Amino acid sequence: MQHKYWRLVLVGCLLLTLNACNTKANPSSIHDPLLNQSQWVLAKNVPNLSRPITVLFERGRMSGFNGCNSYSGNYIANEDGTLALGQPSVSRILCSGVPSQTERDYMDKLARVRIYALVRGQLVLLDAQRKPLLTFQTYKPT
């Protein structure tokens, strides 16, 4: 009986592996070269923090600092300007006051992002109704 169970598990794993190999990326999905390997710092409505709010886009992965914690997740930038951000994972450093509220506000806005635009050297992240949520400028750490 146990032998049959492991055989079924093995066949199931094999089928999942074969299915994953046949999955093709959407040809319209790209990692915009202007967005890829670029680091940005929040440029509008910037709270007074000891460290700037940032986002880095690199080969389908985004990461940054949200005012209290570091975060990272996946992204897909499409030719039509849509931007799909995966659910980010966030480090769990305890913050209170301004950093804590800033983190909540930033992560809430990030979750609503659906579109991106590069305008006059700035990265603007917009919601589905094209309302600007977050505006960044190029970040060059010192």
Side-chain angles (χ1 to χ4, degrees), residues 30-42 53-65 71-78 81-86 88 106 109-111 113-118 121-126 134-139:
I30 60 168
H31 301 296
D32 189 320
L34 296 175
L35 198 58
N36 190 41
Q37 295 183 335
S38 61
Q39 189 166 7
W40 304 88
V41 62
L42 191 64
I53 295 174
T54 60
V55 64
L56 166 69
F57 293 96
E58 187 170 29
R59 294 181 295 239
R61 295 282 302 160
M62 67 168 184
S63 60
F65 180 73
Y71 66 94
S72 64
N74 297 321
Y75 78 91
I76 298 174
N78 293 301
T82 57
L83 180 62
L85 302 178
Y106 178 78
K109 289 178 182 178
L110 203 60
V113 169
R114 299 294 179 269
I115 302 167
Y116 75 99
L118 297 168
Q122 292 188 321
L123 171 64
V124 182
L125 302 181
L126 307 106
L134 299 163
T135 302
F136 296 87
Q137 62 191 27
T138 303
Y139 182 55

Side-chain angles (χ1 to χ4, degrees), residues 100-119:
S100 180
Q101 185 61 48
T102 299
E103 175 182 50
R104 283 192 298 275
D105 293 346
Y106 178 78
M107 296 309 287
D108 176 61
K109 289 178 182 178
L110 203 60
R112 297 184 351 237
V113 169
R114 299 294 179 269
I115 302 167
Y116 75 99
L118 297 168
V119 180

